[in-house]
Amino acid sequence: ELIDLSGDILKMKKIKTDKENAKVIILNEIDNIVIALENMNAGQYLKQFALKIDAPILSGQKIAKIDISENSPIYKYGTIIGFADSNILKGQVLTNSNVIFKEFIREHDYCAKYQPTRFVNASSERSFMGFKRDDGRVGTRNYIAVVSTVNCSATVVHEIAAYFTNEKLKNYSNIDGVAAFSHSTGCGMELSGEPMNLLHRTLGGYINHPNVASSLVVGLGCERCQVGGLFQSQGIAETNKLRTLVMQENGGTTATIKAGIKCIEGMLEEANKIERIATPLSSLMVGLQCGGSDAFSSLSANPALGKAVDILVAHGGTAILSETPEIYGVENSLTARAINSNVAEKLMNRVNWWKDIYSVGRDVQINGTVSPGNQKGGLANILEKSLGSAMKGGTTGLMEVYNYAEKVDKKGFVFMDTPGFDPVSATGQIAGGANLIAFTTGRGSCFGAKPTPSIKLATNSNLYERMNEDMDINCGAVIDGEKNIEEMGKEIFEEFISFASGKKTKSEVLNLGRHEFAPWQIGITG
């Protein structure tokens, strides 16, 4: 049966609570489990379901609503999330120890759920205050970037950026900062082919990012990722807004740092002349991320973010879903939304690459086991995690599928192939043009992503209060019964506009994002 992650699921019409204790919910009438909304002791009796919990349970964990026989599927949101490893009795707590992961047939019906986007009327169009670039793209921030071609110039780019403190930039009110982007590769790798192409795309995407006014690129001189090769592959050339330095040609470390500082000083005046102007929401491109997920991710933050994405797409904006291993198990729900069979096949090619080449026989999450934090948060395996992860993409048509760090040139809901590791995934999205990141978390992820602001959405109120320093939006209001999914989605959408227009995210206040630039490393290092 085709898995459907739209409609009733996103509106959560089928949720029922235990009226007496209000401690559990059921998400779909065909589910054979209920979900705990708070910690409970063994022996707790749930009157509505006439069951007694057999063991202590943490919020977000699952309880058998009925007897489930060995090898029978376990359903959540009406979707298979695993199979019983033995006969499970009514009231028994389900964890990753008694819910097993195994392959099962998922029928694909390409494009069956695709519907053209219904755009808002011109009179209802919204805008944000952004920085318009020469190529027509719009930034939500105005940075000067200092980019290393190779790890050997990493210290130099960080020293150049560190020189430009808030005190030194106090007279440049339109500049958000000078940010260094270094990485751990650039040499000792394949000279040609996809590994180098991928690195070139990533570096090029940051050098020419809409959130960047000017860039300085620093190389060592003998590396495989040469400045000249990078520029040629990306079709870019040195200008007054794009300068280069090569350490071996410039006299070494100290001389290059001094020269780099002088280069940046020469860029400040022009960068500061760029001011925010009103621009249509069609210029907004949001990268969708989730990290430190828990069982509440699929109940609050992810579907609410999906609702915000639907509103953004209706205004002509773009949203990028990624983390290919974390859609595994529900990929047929996305191919059903594809605009055409070519887009659907692109998605399946990337999923199959992960399954057939990259992870066979390896202990990675696409083969079942999720992280210890995910497990403690109530997620049994990758099938259950993917169920929530895909909800971030809302319900509109899937318009295109991109390789890692490719420039995103289609509007609407799209997919980019990335690993599940958040910094690597977000780096690819930003290189593709994302000028905002929306990041849901249930366990508590501390993440920043210069030059792009990262909005943190907490799945539960306990997390929001405990880690308030890092969390921007409390989606726990859904779990607490204070808001429904649609109301929460509208709030997130309004925050998109506020943050895009200059409101600082918590990660920006903490100055996170200085070390999270992490290009995906594939291929041989030698």
Side-chain angles (χ1 to χ4, degrees):
E1 181 181 356
L2 182 65
I3 300 170
D4 187 355
L5 297 183
S6 61
D8 286 351
I9 288 181
L10 284 181
K11 293 178 182 178
M12 300 182 78
K13 287 182 178 179
K14 296 183 178 180
I15 289 183
K16 292 184 178 180
T17 61
D18 183 304
K19 301 299 183 183
E20 182 177 40
N21 298 304
K23 291 180 178 179
V24 297
I25 56 175
I26 182 170
L27 301 171
N28 189 292
E29 296 294 346
I30 73 170
D31 288 358
N32 50 12
I33 60 170
V34 295
I35 311 297
L37 293 180
E38 60 186 64
N39 299 346
M40 288 181 279
N41 296 321
Q44 172 74 51
Y45 184 72
L46 304 178
K47 183 177 180 181
Q48 180 179 343
F49 301 105
L51 63 83
K52 183 183 290 187
I53 302 172
D54 77 326
I57 189 170
L58 298 176
S59 62
Q61 290 187 321
K62 301 169 286 294
I63 309 163
K65 186 180 72 169
I66 58 174
D67 291 342
I68 305 172
S69 59
E70 183 177 359
N71 291 320
S72 293
I74 294 167
Y75 289 93
K76 179 180 179 181
Y77 272 121
T79 299
I80 295 174
I81 62 164
F83 299 84
D85 77 329
S86 59
N87 292 329
I88 295 175
L89 301 178
K90 180 178 180 178
Q92 189 170 341
V93 175
L94 278 65
T95 67
N96 60 304
S97 64
N98 56 14
V99 177
I100 59 175
F101 166 86
K102 62 181 179 181
E103 294 282 5
F104 63 98
I105 295 174
R106 293 180 290 282
E107 296 295 334
H108 284 264
D109 194 356
Y110 287 179
C111 313
K113 297 281 185 178
Y114 172 77
Q115 292 184 347
T117 299
R118 297 179 61 183
F119 295 103
V120 298
N121 296 327
S123 60
S124 301
E125 288 182 359
R126 302 287 298 279
S127 62
F128 71 98
M129 301 297 292
F131 298 97
K132 192 167 184 179
R133 306 302 179 191
D134 293 340
D135 63 1
R137 294 187 299 167
V138 178
T140 62
R141 296 295 183 268
N142 197 38
Y143 275 94
I144 294 177
V146 190
V147 180
S148 65
T149 60
V150 64
N151 182 256
C152 307
S153 56
T155 295
V156 168
V157 299
H158 280 283
E159 288 296 316
I160 294 169
Y163 175 83
F164 294 93
T165 61
N166 290 336
E167 178 65 21
K168 287 189 172 68
L169 295 176
K170 66 181 181 181
N171 294 325
Y172 303 95
S173 59
N174 290 327
I175 297 177
D176 287 286
V178 178
F181 299 101
S182 65
H183 52 94
S184 60
T185 184
C187 202
M189 59 184 294
E190 297 174 71
L191 190 57
S192 60
E194 180 57 10
M196 186 62 77
N197 292 340
L198 184 153
L199 181 58
H200 282 168
R201 292 197 303 267
T202 307
L203 297 177
Y206 273 68
I207 291 167
N208 275 331
H209 195 274
N211 287 1
V212 171
S214 302
S215 294
L216 170 64
V217 180
V218 182
L220 174 62
C222 57
E223 67 271 21
R224 289 199 153 209
C225 183
Q226 289 279 303
V227 172
L230 167 64
F231 277 36
Q232 182 178 9
S233 73
Q234 298 303 295
I236 55 181
E238 192 164 0
T239 67
N240 63 330
K241 293 183 179 180
L242 174 54
R243 301 289 303 279
T244 66
L245 289 171
V246 177
M247 294 171 63
Q248 291 170 353
E249 297 173 3
N250 207 69
T253 300
T254 302
T256 307
I257 292 170
K258 289 179 179 179
I261 290 171
K262 187 175 180 179
C263 282
I264 301 300
E265 287 175 336
M267 296 174 174
L268 292 175
E269 290 293 341
E270 287 301 313
N272 195 55
K273 290 178 182 178
I274 308 170
E275 297 182 346
R276 290 185 181 273
I277 61 172
T279 186
L281 274 182
S282 57
S283 298
L284 196 59
M285 184 182 296
V286 182
L288 310 175
Q289 288 289 322
C290 57
S293 299
D294 69 353
F296 291 131
S297 296
S298 65
L299 309 183
S300 60
N302 287 355
L305 178 54
K307 178 59 66 176
V309 163
D310 285 349
I311 302 172
L312 175 64
V313 169
H315 280 80
T318 304
I320 311 170
L321 183 67
S322 297
E323 302 175 299
T324 312
E326 296 183 11
I327 62 159
Y328 177 68
V330 296
E331 65 273 16
N332 53 338
S333 71
L334 297 176
T335 58
R337 291 163 52 190
I339 186 173
N340 56 50
S341 58
N342 181 54
V343 169
E345 285 291 347
K346 282 184 180 180
L347 182 65
M348 289 312 302
N349 286 341
R350 300 319 303 157
V351 172
N352 291 333
W353 180 85
W354 280 90
K355 281 298 299 176
D356 298 340
I357 299 175
Y358 209 65
S359 61
V360 173
R362 296 178 181 174
D363 187 15
V364 293
Q365 66 176 354
I366 200 170
N367 285 337
T369 305
V370 293
S371 72
N374 292 155
Q375 294 174 33
K376 190 173 182 180
L379 298 177
N381 53 47
I382 189 56
L383 298 177
E384 187 174 9
K385 185 176 183 178
S386 294
L387 177 64
S389 180
M391 290 179 176
K392 301 192 302 293
T395 63
T396 62
L398 176 63
M399 307 307 291
E400 186 57 280
V401 173
Y402 295 91
N403 289 326
Y404 185 89
E406 279 188 326
K407 183 178 179 180
V408 175
D409 56 3
K410 290 286 195 303
K411 300 292 185 180
F413 170 60
V414 301
F415 188 88
M416 177 181 284
D417 179 35
T418 77
F421 185 36
D422 309 314
V424 178
S425 181
T427 295
Q429 292 176 330
I430 294 168
N435 51 14
L436 201 65
I437 296 290
F439 194 124
T440 68
T441 181
R443 304 294 296 168
S445 181
C446 304
F447 179 75
K450 289 182 180 182
T452 296
S454 177
I455 308 168
K456 293 297 188 349
L457 298 88
T459 71
N460 61 88
S461 296
N462 179 55
L463 168 64
Y464 182 77
E465 293 164 4
R466 187 175 72 253
M467 296 183 63
N468 185 259
E469 179 184 55
D470 293 276
M471 299 296 119
D472 295 291
I473 301 173
N474 181 23
C475 297
V478 173
I479 303 299
D480 300 337
E482 298 171 1
K483 296 179 181 178
N484 60 33
I485 291 294
E486 186 169 354
E487 292 168 337
M488 196 74 244
K490 289 179 179 178
E491 178 180 327
I492 295 168
F493 171 73
E494 293 296 334
E495 290 286 41
F496 282 174
I497 296 174
S498 296
F499 287 118
S501 298
K503 177 182 175 182
K504 297 295 185 184
T505 64
K506 295 289 184 68
S507 66
E508 289 179 294
V509 172
L510 292 169
N511 199 23
L512 299 176
R514 290 168 290 168
H515 308 289
E516 286 80 356
F517 176 64
W520 187 13
Q521 295 187 42
I522 60 173
I524 297 169
T525 300

